[in-house]
Amino acid sequence: MDKSRRKFLQHSALASTSLFIPQFLSGFNLGLDKADVNSRRKLVIVQLSGGNDGLNTVVPFRNDIYYGSRPTLAIPENEVIKLNDEIGLNGVMAPMKSIFDDGNLCIINNVGYPNPDRSHFRSMDIWQTASDSNEFLSSGWLGRYLDNYCMDCEVHYAMEMDDSLSLALKGRQKSGFAASNVNKLHRSTKSRFLQAVSKHHHDHEHSENVAYLYQTMRQTFSSANYLHEQSKIYQSRQTYPSNKFGKALKQTAELIISGSDTRIYYTALSGFDTHTRQKNTQDRLLENLAQGLTALTEDLKTNNQLDDTLVMVFSEFGRRVKENASGGTDHGTANNVFLMGGKLNKAGIYNGGANLSSLDEGDLIYEVDFRRIYATILDKWLGADNAEVLNKQFQLMDFV
Amino acid sequence: MYDLQKIQHLSWRAGFGLSIREYQKLSNVPLQRAVDGLFKSAKNPAELPIPEFGFRSREERKSMSDEVRMERKKMGKAHVFELNTDWIERMANEQSSPLLEKMTLFWHGHFACELKLPHFAVQHINTLRQHAVGNFRDLVIAIAKDPSMLSYLDNRKNKKEHPNENFARELMELFTIGRGNYTEEDVKAAARAFTGWGASLSGEFIFKSRQHDYGQKTFMGKTGNFDGTDIIDIILEKRETAQFIATKVYRFFVNDKINAQHINELADVFYASNYNIEAMMRALFESDWFYDVKNMGVKIKSPVVLLAGLMRTLDLRFEDRKPMIVLQKALGQILFNPPNVAGWPGGKTWIDNATLMLRLNLTSILFESKEVNFNIKAEPERERFKKLSRIKVYADIEPIVSRFRSMDEQEIVEKISTYLLQTPHEIDTTILDKVVDKSTKESFITSLMMRLMSMPEYQMC
């Protein structure tokens, strides 16, 4: 027996091959050319947590019901950045006008799902898992994409710019990777002991779960190294908001432009639950959002990456049409979704404005199931079959 | 195999591991006596005191201003956090019954329900404790009448004119018989049978006869003027219900991977005993296969088990209890707040790169003041994040040190790793030599323990 080791229990052989599997292979069954195109494509998801008030984001500035329902909160016509004769953006989002004019922004209104749930947690779970509202899934839609199309990808193929991982990126088998700051992550893996443990070759066979822990550990260390190296290649000079959200978008742009293997990026901006004093809070957040998205778009455009990137912005629900007595709005239902990128098939306002004349107990009625947007992204952008990921087939849309 | 190794396995699955005192005490005890001890202490639990939080009248509730309402909500939340940390401390406490706490945790994940109001939360947990190793029929009926569950699954809105199917559906899908054993017609009939089941302001069950549907219902092939209890009885007549619960028990207490034969054994006992929970759990803990090497150290500790186990092993207390909540959030399991009615999926879903790194670094964070710098996701109503930074804890490992200090280093490594790790492991002493502090026996034992608890193997039980 090797003198340097003491072995306490029965050992046999463990083959640790997880790290040496060939890198990214995508667009299976699609032929090489298409796979090649898909492999360059990036998807960026921006989640607005708390339920963003869509009607004060994309403003129906010709609509009397809107102004009648919101005597103090409605945005006056002269403060609206007009996108057409009826609809415009909240004035604090002015920087996004040029993205719209360049044909790089598509706004889909009245997005939701049947039997809407007004609980933040539940509705966010529904959006993140792509479930029906009476169905409980413990895997996310992007996680299931990884399960079906990316079992052999590096773990940083799908990344959330956060310290913890959202349900959206958790699959049944495979999950995405969480890192709010790749350099901080890299430092956290520097423990000499853990590094040694992870490299240690085990002679005995682990149970499946122990093997899974070791595999996750090694992948984390290897991805932390990889991302740390990538982060040195390109440093952005664009001005992003100086908060956590801005930093997350900046890291997203830097990794995309550096040519990282990462293809899916997930980030969140929180605080949209504006039951009281909505105006100040929402204006500040939307200003942040617009600044961040504009910087990201500029960054990607300057570096010839905008054509290969698709950005989706969503929130778990919109808010009620009527304002409440505290200068805010309460939880609602349908909302708008933004899609951005250099290769949109249909830019502009996708399906007209919100329909305020036909409400369900004061709430907007959804017209587009959000899973049709996911399905379109999966099929047309990522080259997947949406039914395999969403558990049923959804009708595709034309934005890409 | 000595009984101590089996007892240790039993203690992790039926509880939260063994403190060094218990480890010592049980080293000469036959397995059967250890099993008997667990059940003896789990029976007739004391009721947890119900805090004052309810409204005295509907008027009081209605007349509340928005500010008072918000203030009350905040107080309730803080109170529930207290109850949460109290529970974790009970799990870690040698004086309480480990099996009772573990079974209650199991039922909390099974009858998953968000518990927001402190007085109702205690009432709910008391119900789970009272029936934890009692009769499953009593438990299901008590849960169907529980104020938190009645409101969580909308049965308060379930009225003759507008039946609400939420509770009836989950009762069958998640709580008793499982998918594939009932029809949509059965859901509709069951919902009608539960119409009028509600709760008073103080949390007592009330049957509102004016809202109850007294008509004929056809449910699972039987026709009659059924009420909720009849529906539960008809569901329990089906052996599939025993099978469904036995499968869930097996996954939680034995192995993520099911073994059909072992589950059948449990289901048979459960069904034949008219759903006596103790009978089924005894059959499990007294079986040979439970102690099979294939079932030892193969479960990933849930965050709550990890935390309570760590506290029990090291006699550890948090100076400020808030980090106990933040750790639960960061690791993905918050007591009283399951992700949805399906409970915590468990197994590998506990693990991603972020939670694993936090788990592996946990002892360094707690004992070496390693900076954590971990931001918890913001809650919907907030913009800011909670930050997990330095955490102050007290631990007493003197009993561990004095138990092992007379041994030589090699024996210490062997004995302590056997105590701390439940799964086959090997210790590379060339690595250990570099990271263990050999200046004194005490520092050797302490630093060795910290390293062993940072190994992936420590995550297993």
Side-chain angles (χ1 to χ4, degrees):
Chain A
M1 185 158 128
D2 185 338
K3 274 185 195 155
S4 68
R5 283 184 178 180
R6 297 190 202 108
K7 303 180 181 187
F8 299 123
L9 289 159
Q10 284 292 312
H11 310 317
S12 59
L14 169 82
S16 160
T17 51
S18 54
L19 276 181
F20 308 107
I21 284 162
Q23 300 245 343
F24 172 67
L25 289 159
S26 153
F28 313 112
N29 325 322
L30 291 168
L32 216 71
D33 291 340
K34 198 150 182 205
D36 193 42
V37 171
N38 289 333
S39 74
R40 278 191 272 116
R41 286 181 174 170
K42 267 73 73 174
L43 174 65
V44 179
I45 309 276
V46 176
Q47 171 183 302
L48 308 180
S49 309
N52 177 37
D53 180 18
L55 287 172
N56 276 16
T57 307
V58 179
V59 183
F61 62 85
R62 284 281 152 76
N63 193 305
D64 293 340
I65 305 174
Y66 170 69
Y67 287 100
S69 309
R70 299 185 162 199
T72 69
L73 277 183
I75 299 180
E77 186 178 340
N78 60 6
E79 288 177 21
V80 172
I81 311 293
K82 291 175 185 166
L83 301 179
N84 63 22
D85 293 343
E86 288 169 24
I87 296 172
L89 291 175
N90 184 318
V92 299
M93 300 175 84
M96 290 188 70
K97 177 70 161 59
S98 64
I99 304 176
F100 186 86
D101 291 342
D102 290 346
N104 294 332
L105 171 62
C106 169
I107 298 173
I108 306 176
N109 280 304
N110 306 317
V111 182
Y113 55 90
N115 304 313
D117 198 298
R118 287 168 186 78
S119 144
H120 292 289
F121 297 100
R122 187 60 201 135
S123 195
M124 191 58 94
D125 276 2
I126 290 167
W127 274 83
Q128 292 201 1
T129 62
S131 71
D132 289 335
S133 72
N134 63 358
E135 179 189 23
F136 300 94
L137 299 180
S138 50
S139 62
W141 72 286
L142 293 167
R144 291 196 302 273
Y145 168 73
L146 299 176
D147 283 343
N148 280 292
Y149 293 93
C150 215
M151 273 310 281
D152 295 335
C153 302
E154 295 285 348
V155 284
H156 55 260
Y157 181 91
M159 264 184 86
E160 178 162 6
M161 305 295 157
D162 198 283
D163 289 339
S164 54
L165 196 66
S166 292
L167 186 52
L169 289 142
K170 291 183 185 170
R172 295 190 198 96
Q173 310 287 330
K174 179 117 183 166
S175 282
F177 192 76
S180 64
N181 176 325
V182 296
N183 297 319
K184 192 180 99 184
L185 169 78
H186 185 243
R187 283 197 301 277
S188 83
T189 61
K190 287 282 106 185
S191 152
R192 199 154 60 136
F193 178 68
L194 291 182
Q195 285 285 348
V197 168
S198 81
K199 289 197 187 92
H200 185 52
H201 276 268
H202 290 246
D203 294 339
H204 62 278
E205 201 170 318
H206 284 303
S207 72
E208 188 185 324
N209 280 341
V210 182
Y212 181 72
L213 296 183
Y214 268 97
Q215 184 193 358
T216 307
M217 186 178 178
R218 291 199 197 95
Q219 286 169 341
T220 303
F221 289 177
S222 129
S223 285
N225 270 332
Y226 174 84
L227 293 167
H228 177 65
E229 290 306 316
Q230 288 292 312
S231 74
K232 295 178 190 161
I233 298 175
Y234 172 77
Q235 263 124 30
S236 172
R237 293 213 192 90
Q238 289 289 334
T239 312
Y240 287 86
S242 57
N243 55 14
K244 185 174 175 279
F245 174 68
K247 286 183 185 135
L249 283 188
K250 185 163 181 246
Q251 181 168 276
T252 300
E254 290 179 343
L255 287 173
I256 291 177
I257 294 163
S258 298
S260 168
D261 297 337
T262 311
R263 298 289 184 264
I264 297 172
Y265 297 84
Y266 202 98
T267 188
L269 177 61
S270 315
F272 285 95
D273 194 22
T274 49
H275 290 281
T276 55
R277 293 186 293 272
Q278 169 168 313
K279 184 160 175 51
N280 289 343
T281 309
Q282 199 203 15
D283 281 2
R284 184 168 40 78
L285 291 170
L286 289 181
E287 199 175 347
N288 254 307
L289 176 69
Q291 261 178 22
L293 292 177
T294 309
L296 177 71
T297 309
E298 272 308 306
D299 231 353
L300 296 176
K301 197 159 86 184
T302 318
N303 292 282
N304 301 317
Q305 289 291 333
L306 193 60
D307 285 359
D308 288 330
T309 308
L310 181 66
V311 182
M312 182 187 94
V313 185
F314 81 98
S315 191
E316 73 268 34
F317 44 61
R319 305 192 78 85
R320 311 214 78 185
V321 176
K322 259 198 171 80
E323 66 181 51
N324 64 22
S326 322
T329 50
D330 299 323
H331 300 179
T333 53
N335 205 350
N336 39 57
V337 165
F338 286 18
L339 290 147
M340 299 164 60
K343 275 271 185 264
L344 293 178
N345 188 38
K346 190 173 171 186
I349 310 289
Y350 190 89
N351 57 342
N355 184 357
L356 296 175
S357 50
S358 151
L359 300 176
D360 177 17
E361 296 181 32
D363 279 321
L364 295 167
I365 297 169
Y366 89 99
E367 179 187 310
V368 176
D369 192 311
F370 71 97
R371 291 167 294 186
R372 289 184 58 203
I373 300 178
Y374 290 2
T376 309
I377 294 173
L378 287 164
D379 277 47
K380 295 189 176 176
W381 190 252
L382 299 175
D385 173 0
N386 76 76
E388 284 184 45
V389 176
L390 304 175
N391 303 331
K392 51 187 154 187
Q393 197 87 41
F394 286 90
Q395 194 195 340
L396 301 185
M397 301 174 73
D398 297 326
F399 56 83
V400 282
Chain B
M1 198 188 292
Y2 297 109
D3 271 7
L4 184 57
Q5 197 178 344
K6 293 182 178 177
I7 287 173
Q8 216 183 346
H9 172 60
L10 173 70
S11 79
W12 274 107
R13 300 301 180 81
F16 307 87
L18 298 173
S19 74
I20 197 71
R21 281 177 295 270
E22 294 170 312
Y23 191 63
Q24 226 155 344
K25 226 186 306 175
L26 290 169
S27 57
N28 297 315
V29 167
L31 181 62
Q32 185 60 48
R33 225 168 77 206
V35 173
D36 291 343
L38 282 173
F39 282 97
K40 200 175 156 212
S41 72
K43 281 189 219 172
N44 307 316
E47 285 202 1
L48 305 173
I50 296 196
E52 288 261 342
F53 197 80
F55 296 101
R56 278 174 291 271
S57 66
R58 283 183 199 283
E59 289 67 41
E60 187 187 345
R61 188 169 68 178
K62 273 187 185 150
S63 65
M64 214 169 23
S65 69
D66 277 358
E67 284 74 34
V68 177
R69 201 181 298 271
M70 288 300 282
E71 192 52 37
R72 206 183 120 85
K73 210 174 150 187
K74 242 169 88 181
M75 273 171 53
K77 206 168 171 180
H79 205 134
V80 170
F81 282 162
E82 288 289 308
L83 297 170
N84 172 320
T85 48
D86 284 350
W87 192 4
I88 303 242
E89 286 179 357
R90 270 202 308 281
M91 293 172 185
N93 188 338
E94 286 173 34
Q95 306 310 317
S96 46
S97 159
L99 179 62
L100 171 64
E101 301 305 338
K102 195 63 167 281
M103 290 298 307
T104 308
L105 179 62
F106 170 73
W107 292 123
H108 180 38
H110 180 73
F111 295 106
C113 179
E114 188 186 4
L115 302 168
K116 281 192 281 199
L117 298 169
H119 56 310
F120 286 177
V122 175
Q123 186 179 344
H124 183 93
I125 295 299
N126 273 339
T127 297
L128 299 181
R129 287 163 66 87
Q130 191 194 338
H131 303 288
V133 290
N135 186 281
F136 182 68
R137 175 180 183 270
D138 297 342
L139 179 55
V140 178
I141 292 172
I143 285 295
K145 295 180 171 178
D146 175 72
S148 303
M149 189 61 85
L150 283 164
S151 110
Y152 187 58
L153 292 182
D154 303 319
N155 208 66
R156 279 163 188 263
K157 298 178 199 154
N158 187 12
K159 297 172 186 172
K160 185 180 175 181
E161 266 69 51
H162 305 282
N164 185 307
E165 295 172 4
N166 203 359
F167 177 74
R169 182 181 302 281
E170 304 309 357
L171 171 70
M172 287 184 272
E173 180 178 331
L174 297 167
F175 298 164
T176 56
I177 195 164
R179 272 185 189 216
N181 295 307
Y182 55 90
T183 63
E184 280 303 303
E185 291 311 306
D186 291 331
V187 173
K188 290 198 177 96
R192 288 175 57 212
F194 282 101
T195 47
W197 285 39
S200 72
L201 273 178
S202 59
E204 280 148 22
F205 171 70
I206 37 176
F207 177 71
K208 299 168 189 157
S209 62
R210 271 180 306 158
Q211 294 174 2
H212 183 70
D213 182 341
Y214 287 94
Q216 293 269 316
K217 298 145 195 121
T218 299
F219 178 73
M220 292 189 170
K222 297 191 173 187
T223 302
N225 168 21
F226 300 136
D227 77 353
T229 312
D230 300 323
I231 294 294
I232 290 170
D233 282 332
I234 296 171
I235 295 172
L236 297 191
E237 277 168 26
K238 306 262 180 193
R239 193 186 173 283
E240 286 85 349
T241 300
Q243 188 83 21
F244 183 76
I245 302 300
T247 306
K248 204 149 175 193
V249 160
Y250 188 89
R251 280 217 167 96
F252 186 90
F253 289 94
V254 185
N255 202 320
D256 297 344
K257 276 198 207 135
I258 56 171
N259 176 311
Q261 195 193 325
H262 300 159
I263 289 170
N264 272 332
E265 282 176 33
L266 295 179
D268 282 343
V269 173
F270 200 33
Y271 193 66
S273 67
N274 282 318
Y275 293 92
N276 183 320
I277 300 165
E278 178 179 349
M280 171 171 57
M281 296 312 295
R282 267 191 185 274
L284 194 163
F285 295 133
E286 290 171 2
S287 73
D288 289 337
W289 45 258
F290 176 66
Y291 301 94
D292 190 322
V293 178
K294 271 186 273 177
N295 290 326
M296 281 190 174
V298 294
K299 294 254 336 156
I300 298 173
K301 289 173 188 167
S302 78
V304 163
V305 170
L306 177 70
L307 204 55
L310 194 70
M311 290 168 71
R312 199 178 182 102
T313 302
L314 300 177
D315 205 355
L316 182 145
R317 295 294 171 269
F318 287 76
E319 183 189 65
D320 170 12
R321 303 206 297 178
K322 268 189 216 108
M324 292 169 71
I325 303 285
V326 183
L327 278 172
Q328 288 174 61
K329 285 188 184 171
L331 293 169
Q333 183 183 32
I334 311 160
L335 292 177
F336 301 126
N337 194 2
N340 56 52
V341 63
W344 293 281
K348 285 181 192 154
T349 67
W350 298 124
I351 302 299
D352 58 53
N353 71 300
T355 58
L356 181 62
M357 287 312 292
L358 187 56
R359 280 168 176 252
L360 299 180
N361 280 311
L362 192 56
T363 43
S364 313
I365 291 164
L366 295 177
F367 296 102
E368 297 166 335
S369 298
K370 179 172 173 165
E371 205 168 342
V372 216
N373 234 332
F374 192 101
N375 287 309
I376 309 298
K377 281 194 199 314
E379 289 174 48
E381 57 266 33
R382 283 163 200 262
E383 206 171 319
R384 296 272 191 90
F385 316 86
K386 285 215 178 75
K387 204 169 172 175
L388 188 61
S389 45
R390 290 183 202 283
I391 302 171
K392 202 164 176 196
V393 294
Y394 301 104
D396 181 10
I397 59 166
E398 175 48 34
I400 300 181
V401 173
S402 53
R403 160 134 181 158
F404 298 111
R405 73 182 323 148
S406 60
M407 302 171 185
D408 69 26
E409 283 183 8
Q410 179 172 344
E411 200 182 357
I412 288 176
V413 173
E414 191 174 323
K415 288 282 195 292
I416 293 190
S417 63
T418 306
Y419 170 54
L420 290 177
L421 308 177
Q422 309 306 309
T423 184
H425 51 272
E426 59 185 77
I427 309 299
D428 187 332
T429 45
T430 55
I431 299 174
L432 271 187
D433 282 345
K434 290 181 196 142
V435 292
V436 169
D437 177 358
K438 293 190 171 178
S439 51
T440 64
K441 266 284 167 64
E442 181 168 2
S443 68
F444 177 71
I445 291 173
T446 314
S447 58
L448 171 68
M449 284 181 64
M450 296 307 115
R451 297 308 161 213
L452 293 177
M453 292 170 114
S454 307
M455 289 179 66
E457 283 83 348
Y458 183 70
Q459 302 305 321
M460 308 300 297
C461 73

